[in-house]
Structure formats: structure tokens, C-alpha cells
Amino acid sequence: MREDIADLAAESVAGTAGEAYHDRGDFLRRLAVAAHRPGFALLVAETTVLIGCAFGYPVDPDGSGRRGFDGTFREIIQRLTSRARFVVLTQVVAHPHTQHRDIARRLQQRLLTDLHSSLGVTLLHPANQAGQAAFSSWGWQNMGEVVGLPGPVAPCVLTLSSEGQPSARR
């Protein structure tokens, strides 16, 4: 099924400005890395074909002794949102057809419910305006660029509250 999910990911951004941020090989690597995280969950939506998926993993307050990126990331999110437990939504993909526009939002909310969390978090490249617009249309709040994480670019942190309330202290 991972090949079908990769096909959907490529199809969902074909011909858009976000296409540069969704290399098929990179997508498959992110899926493989996320799948090895404790609590990993993958939800799919399909009719006769795959039309959407969302996957991620929970982050608990204690962090189970994790250091490095995980520990720094957890601390940053806790400072931004005052929440010690959240779900990292590694990827959300939906077929771009207008008939399926609500699928991504429903998959995200279901993933938060299934993982017993009221807060979802994702990271996006700040230049990925198509991705940011999509997440914004699904109810995500852009918390701005976050410095202190490894990598060449300070990513934007986006949050989604399943409670329908703002997810951060400003």
C-alpha cells in the first residue's frame, strides 16, 4: 500500500507550487521513519481507489528519555502551546478533486481522536505556500518559524486543536 500512498502524494501536488516539496523518494523515507515511531498510526480513505491518508505519532510529556531533535522539538511545542502531549502529523494527503476536499480534514481529526490527543503539530518549509494554504484551509494555525531545530531552514510550526479553541498562548 505504501506505493499507492506515494502515488497519491505525488498526484495531489502535481502541477502546484508545492510540488517541489513532495519528492516521491523523500515521501517514502518520511513514511518509513514515522512508521518506526512508538504509537505510529496511519489512516486511509478509499472508495474504489485511495483518496486520502494521514499519518503521525504521539509525543508524550516525558519523552521516554529521548534527546536531540525529539527533546528539543517537544520543549519548543510545549512552550508555544502549553501542551505537554500532542500528535505529530507527519503527512496529510488528499486527492485534489473537489469531491474529496473534506477528506483531509476528517482524517486529521480522526487521527487526533484515535491517538487521544487534542493537539496536532506539523512542520512545513516556510516557502511551501501551497502546503501552508492547504493546512490553513483545514483549520491549522501557523505559529511562525521556529529556530533551534536542526536543519538548514527554520521550519514553520502549524498547530491544530481538536477542541475548536486556539492552540497557543500568544
Side-chain angles (χ1 to χ4, degrees):
M1 178 170 255
R2 78 184 196 120
E3 293 300 323
D4 291 340
I5 293 172
D7 289 344
L8 176 64
E11 183 180 315
S12 70
V13 294
T16 69
E19 187 171 18
Y21 303 101
H22 289 80
D23 172 81
R24 182 185 178 88
D26 185 47
F27 174 84
L28 289 170
R29 278 187 293 285
R30 283 194 313 274
L31 176 58
V33 167
H36 286 93
R37 300 281 188 156
F40 171 79
L42 167 70
L43 295 176
V44 296
E46 55 189 340
T47 56
T48 56
V49 296
L50 185 65
I51 58 171
C53 77
F55 57 89
Y57 56 91
V59 174
D60 291 318
D62 66 2
S64 304
R66 293 183 184 235
R67 302 243 184 268
F69 176 82
D70 288 347
T72 303
F73 181 61
R74 186 182 64 255
E75 291 169 11
I76 289 170
I77 298 305
Q78 193 168 359
R79 256 183 291 154
L80 279 173
T81 67
S82 298
R83 308 263 183 102
R85 185 177 187 339
F86 55 92
V87 170
V88 175
L89 276 92
T90 310
Q91 189 76 44
V92 178
V93 178
H95 191 278
H97 192 280
T98 55
Q99 183 179 6
H100 304 128
R101 93 175 63 152
D102 196 40
I103 294 296
R105 186 191 57 74
R106 290 173 40 203
L107 283 169
Q108 293 167 71
Q109 290 296 335
R110 177 65 187 264
L111 190 62
L112 291 179
T113 299
D114 287 356
L115 293 175
H116 310 290
S117 182
S118 61
L119 179 68
V121 175
T122 196
L123 298 175
L124 285 180
H125 191 288
N128 185 351
Q129 293 180 352
Q132 290 187 39
F135 277 90
S136 178
S137 75
W138 298 327
W140 288 75
Q141 180 182 8
N142 188 331
M143 304 299 292
E145 294 178 24
V146 176
V147 295
L149 294 175
V153 174
C156 290
V157 171
L158 285 78
T159 59
L160 175 68
S161 174
S162 67
E163 302 162 341
Q165 299 172 6
S167 56
R169 292 184 317 209
R170 288 242 170 196

